[in-house]
Amino acid sequence: MSHLQFKHPRMAAVAVASLAILTVGLAGCSATKSSSSYTIKNNKVALSDSQIKKNLDTKIITTRQDSQKVATAKYKAAAESSKYTLNSPYVKVNPYGTSPLSALVTFKTSNDVKVTYTVVGKTDKTSISNTVKGGYTTSHQVPVVGLYADTTNTVKITATTKAGKTQTKTLKLKTGALPTYIKNATITTKNVDKSKMDIGKNKLTVINRTTKQPFAIDADGAVRWYDTNYSQHTIEQWSDGHIMILSKKNQNSDVYNDLIETDYLGRVYKEYGFANKTSSTDGGVETTVIHHDVVELPNHNFLATVSDGSKYKEDTLIEVSHKTGKIVKVIDLKKILPKSMWAKFKKGTDGKIDWLHNNAVDYDKNDKSIVLSSRNQDLIMKLDYKTDHIKWLYSGKKKSSWPKAYQKYVLTPTKGTITTGGQHGLYLLNNGGKNSANSEDFMLYDNNVNVTNGNKSTSGKYSQAVQYHVNAKKMTITSTWSYGKTLGKANFTSVIGYAEKEKNGNVLIDFGYKAGGQQSNIIEVTKSDKQVFNATMKNAASKAYAYRAYRVQFYNGAYSFDATK
């Protein structure tokens, strides 16, 4: 990931007894020797891990999969039939009823061929091309993504033999109009330089909305994919090319407690259900469990930011088994951070105590740790995932203001380093690459709101994307790049937002709550801070602004569709 390049981490899960002694040495940090480690007793909290597991009651459900069995059987029969050829293929637009700008094309060939397809774009650099995974074969199931809405699309299917001989079939695929909540969310673009954008041959910009349908746009701002399932906060691409969408049982429900593993065609591969016994994400009657972020672990389990069902909310993480749907690890941050942070924090309008508001998690392959963003403490931090030991902490809170037992974990900012305020979307760069366990680089979106420990002098004046470098040997932090300050108050966003570094070095920034949520402004800038893409979404309806924006391959090389499996 960058994010919808997405997170693919590594871990070893070990459950920690909820009231055990937490040894907080420099586990993984080499600023001091292990002999100087000391202990912090876990804070006593209302709920045990077992009670949290009971409250969330995670399980695998099959509602959507069961509803798709008839369709999948039909596509299986088409794949096994010899009557469909390249010249006369089986074609189904919107094969599962939830992805109207996709299609399935199935046929057989007499010789082994490799198949590619192209959805012809309306302007330069807007065509979407993909090669079907599987190499040279005689049976072909082509998952076509990137159609235009309310258009008779031109799609070219090309079969290439091992000798290099090609044959192309041109299809005309008709699609329907966009749904109201996407059509009304008008997109305008400016400062577009497609030659400098990181779009390749098949990348689109996913608009991950706070509610309503997620969708994706091309460099012209045209919608080229959407899912009819309403989503909230969470849409992540998994290592096999599937996507995880947090949705709800039906459009009229207030609760987003169905986490769906699906693909860009709309086929559902797995679904996880959660109980409605936890606190709300936004107040009122909602009881959504997963509130902001989900990351895939190396064993394909997922780690999610959740509320635990107590009077406190959005301060817990759970690891859920992809095989059983059960919780196998709980991290309650009330047990790890100082009690002074949460014991006297004021209740919100929903009666819950939102002292932390943990809104991002990423897993570090280099040292098997997790990094977290906690908006309401203006805090970013790193924990050893196996032990839950603190590795480092950073906020505007002075080191001397931390309880003595925590002070050696507080990073020292180098001169000019940006203090985060109400930040969002923290994630690691070059994860699993050349970085060592003693240094990390990461990106975040700094709302620049002084919630508790932010920068009072600049709070509310601008928002920005910021890249940081942590030197864990010296226990220092340095901001190495930022963009947004020059845009000033016009692009200040009090809540939400995201920043993603692209493969070519550009950064895609989502000023998601511009003008108090009336607009979402997505900007791509180069290393030299030149804008090469600027898209604004207006009239997005209540709570339908862009929570995050990702630049995504539609689809990546790991993905394949096979109705026979």
Side-chain angles (χ1 to χ4, degrees), residues 45-47 52 55-56 277-279 307-313 315-316 332 334 351-353:
V45 294
L47 301 184
I52 293 171
N55 286 351
L56 273 58
K277 299 176 183 176
T278 63
S279 59
S307 296
D308 63 8
S310 71
K311 64 182 179 181
Y312 301 95
K313 71 175 188 177
D315 60 4
T316 305
D332 184 348
K334 292 187 293 296
K352 298 290 184 177
I353 300 172

Side-chain angles (χ1 to χ4, degrees), residues 68 71-72 75 93-99 263 265-268 561 563:
Q68 292 183 349
T72 300
Y75 308 143
V93 174
N94 192 13
Y96 287 97
T98 59
S99 182
D263 63 17
L265 266 62
R267 182 178 181 180
V268 175
F561 178 90

Side-chain angles (χ1 to χ4, degrees), residues 112-124:
D112 287 338
V113 297
K114 178 176 64 177
V115 173
T116 61
Y117 76 82
T118 298
V119 179
V120 178
K122 293 182 179 181
T123 66
D124 182 46

Side-chain angles (χ1 to χ4, degrees), residues 66-281:
D66 291 343
S67 70
Q68 292 183 349
K69 284 182 177 178
V70 172
T72 300
K74 184 187 299 183
Y75 308 143
K76 179 177 183 291
E80 292 172 343
S81 173
S82 58
K83 72 176 182 178
Y84 299 110
T85 64
L86 178 59
N87 286 326
S88 183
Y90 175 87
V91 179
K92 177 63 177 178
V93 174
N94 192 13
Y96 287 97
T98 59
S99 182
L101 303 185
S102 70
L104 177 63
V105 179
T106 298
F107 59 93
K108 287 187 181 294
T109 53
S110 54
N111 298 314
D112 287 338
V113 297
K114 178 176 64 177
V115 173
T116 61
Y117 76 82
T118 298
V119 179
V120 178
K122 293 182 179 181
T123 66
D124 182 46
K125 296 186 184 298
T126 58
S127 294
I128 301 294
S129 296
N130 269 306
T131 299
V132 179
K133 185 180 178 183
Y136 295 89
T137 182
T138 58
S139 183
H140 312 281
Q141 299 176 71
V142 184
V144 176
V145 293
L147 302 176
Y148 290 92
D150 202 15
T151 299
T152 300
N153 292 265
T154 299
V155 178
K156 296 181 178 180
I157 310 288
T158 300
T160 304
T161 67
K162 292 179 180 179
K165 184 178 180 181
T166 63
Q167 182 182 357
T168 298
K169 171 67 175 178
T170 299
L171 304 173
K172 297 292 185 179
L173 305 185
K174 182 72 174 71
T175 55
L178 294 171
T180 300
Y181 286 124
I182 296 180
K183 183 179 180 180
N184 290 351
T186 55
I187 302 286
T188 56
T189 61
K190 65 179 183 179
N191 300 337
V192 176
D193 185 344
K194 295 176 186 177
S195 66
K196 299 290 177 58
M197 290 177 66
D198 183 27
I199 49 178
K201 65 177 182 178
N202 64 358
K203 290 184 180 180
L204 300 173
T205 303
V206 170
I207 311 297
N208 172 10
R209 299 211 279 179
T210 305
T211 60
K212 307 299 187 288
Q213 304 98 328
F215 63 95
I217 58 173
D218 63 18
D220 293 336
V223 176
R224 305 291 295 274
W225 172 84
Y226 68 93
D227 193 301
T228 60
N229 291 297
Y230 284 21
S231 68
Q232 185 179 64
H233 288 154
T234 300
I235 173 170
E236 297 284 343
Q237 184 166 288
W238 249 221
S239 56
D240 56 6
H242 294 171
I243 52 175
M244 302 293 281
I245 296 178
L246 183 64
S247 190
K248 50 187 180 178
K249 288 180 172 56
N250 57 69
Q251 308 298 54
N252 295 321
S253 174
D254 287 323
V255 181
Y256 291 79
N257 276 340
D258 291 10
L259 184 63
I260 307 166
E261 181 183 346
T262 183
D263 63 17
Y264 294 114
L265 266 62
R267 182 178 181 180
V268 175
Y269 297 88
K270 193 164 285 187
E271 186 176 2
Y272 304 86
F274 300 83
N276 300 335
K277 299 176 183 176
T278 63
S279 59
S280 162
T281 297

Side-chain angles (χ1 to χ4, degrees), residues 269-493:
Y269 297 88
K270 193 164 285 187
E271 186 176 2
Y272 304 86
F274 300 83
N276 300 335
K277 299 176 183 176
T278 63
S279 59
S280 162
T281 297
D282 296 305
V285 298
E286 293 183 14
T287 50
T288 296
V289 173
I290 298 176
H291 51 76
H292 283 93
D293 208 1
V294 172
V295 63
E296 182 184 22
L297 297 172
N299 60 359
H300 305 301
N301 290 356
F302 65 85
L303 183 63
T305 57
V306 299
S307 296
D308 63 8
S310 71
K311 64 182 179 181
Y312 301 95
K313 71 175 188 177
E314 304 190 19
D315 60 4
T316 305
L317 297 105
I318 56 170
E319 180 188 339
V320 177
S321 168
H322 75 286
K323 293 180 179 179
T324 66
K326 297 299 182 182
I327 298 171
V328 297
K329 181 177 174 69
V330 175
I331 301 176
D332 184 348
L333 291 162
K334 292 187 293 296
K335 297 175 183 176
I336 296 172
L337 289 169
K339 189 174 182 179
S340 57
M341 283 185 172
W342 52 267
K344 296 182 180 180
F345 205 91
K346 291 182 179 180
K347 289 184 178 179
T349 55
D350 61 353
K352 298 290 184 177
I353 300 172
D354 192 12
W355 69 280
L356 194 67
H357 201 91
N358 189 53
N359 59 32
V361 59
D362 200 7
Y363 181 89
D364 192 341
K365 297 177 182 179
N366 294 316
D367 61 0
K368 300 181 175 68
S369 297
I370 56 173
V371 289
L372 305 171
S373 163
S374 304
R375 178 189 186 274
N376 286 356
Q377 294 293 333
D378 306 311
L379 172 70
I380 56 179
M381 62 187 297
K382 190 171 193 180
L383 301 177
D384 183 286
Y385 189 65
K386 182 178 181 179
T387 64
D388 300 344
H389 293 179
I390 297 170
K391 289 202 163 190
W392 52 252
L393 305 161
Y394 178 62
S395 73
K397 184 182 177 74
K398 292 182 178 179
K399 185 179 294 189
S400 60
S401 299
W402 285 86
K404 187 175 181 180
Y406 292 84
Q407 289 180 14
K408 289 190 176 181
Y409 303 99
V410 179
L411 298 174
T412 299
T414 59
K415 186 177 179 180
T417 292
I418 293 167
T419 299
T420 62
Q423 73 290 327
H424 284 73
L426 169 64
Y427 84 96
L428 293 152
L429 301 172
N430 305 314
N431 197 344
K434 295 180 180 179
N435 286 4
S436 73
N438 290 322
S439 66
E440 303 95 33
D441 293 275
F442 57 88
M443 182 75 69
L444 58 75
Y445 180 82
D446 175 28
N447 295 80
N448 194 22
V449 178
N450 174 34
V451 184
T452 53
N453 299 295
N455 188 330
K456 294 180 181 179
S457 65
T458 63
S459 179
K461 294 182 179 180
Y462 54 86
S463 297
Q464 59 192 340
V466 187
Q467 182 174 327
Y468 288 92
H469 171 75
V470 170
N471 186 318
K473 285 185 176 180
K474 296 181 179 180
M475 290 298 283
T476 59
I477 184 169
T478 304
S479 50
T480 57
W481 177 89
S482 64
Y483 181 85
K485 185 176 181 178
T486 57
L487 302 179
K489 185 79 172 181
N491 272 58
F492 168 72
T493 60

